[in-house]
Amino acid sequence: MAAPNLAAVSTITGKTIGVASLTTTVTTAQLTCPANKVLKINTIIAANIDGTNNATVTASVYDVSNVAIYHLAYTVEVTADTTIILLTRDCAIYLEEGDQLRAGASATGDISLLISYEELSN
């Protein structure tokens, strides 16, 4: 499990993925770093798509090398029909090979995510 040397990166590919609706299971990986890559997570936006009820969102990074979970947000309330920014480019994080971005909501189907990231390789 070797992460690419960031000083020798040959390819940076910008990507955006959406997660249409989170479940209440926070252990589900929304994004996993592939082998021989590093993912630079630039932005995570959570939207409450329930027109009536508030919901909470929890987002974390699973560090496979340390077998540890680190929270970005823990049961943060998102008002009905609003969005919140969980992570911005100003405080970007890196996922190494096998690491996962995980997320869940207090009610299945109430929260969707938009994740912008860069895939780096050499």
Side-chain angles (χ1 to χ4, degrees):
M1 277 201 236
N5 178 350
L6 293 181
V9 168
S10 62
T11 304
I12 301 173
T13 306
K15 297 185 175 193
T16 301
I17 63 166
V19 180
S21 93
L22 295 178
T23 67
T24 56
T25 307
V26 181
T27 57
T28 302
Q30 307 307 320
L31 182 62
T32 301
C33 185
N36 300 313
K37 309 276 185 184
V38 168
L39 300 182
K40 180 182 179 193
I41 310 299
N42 293 316
T43 308
I44 303 172
I45 301 169
N48 185 334
I49 55 178
D50 183 314
T52 307
N53 301 303
N54 296 348
T56 63
V57 62
T58 296
S60 59
V61 170
Y62 173 70
D63 182 344
V64 70
S65 62
N66 290 321
V67 191
I69 296 171
Y70 305 103
H71 292 286
L72 299 169
Y74 192 78
T75 62
V76 175
E77 186 169 72
V78 185
T79 308
D81 286 339
T82 64
T83 62
I84 63 169
I85 299 171
L86 300 178
L87 184 76
T88 67
R89 189 176 188 98
D90 294 338
C91 58
I93 59 173
Y94 291 92
L95 299 183
E96 295 181 25
E97 184 177 307
D99 290 351
Q100 298 176 344
L101 177 66
R102 297 175 173 182
S106 59
T108 296
D110 281 6
I111 302 286
S112 70
L113 291 182
L114 190 63
I115 304 163
S116 170
Y117 66 100
E118 297 168 0
E119 185 178 88
L120 297 89
S121 59
N122 53 0

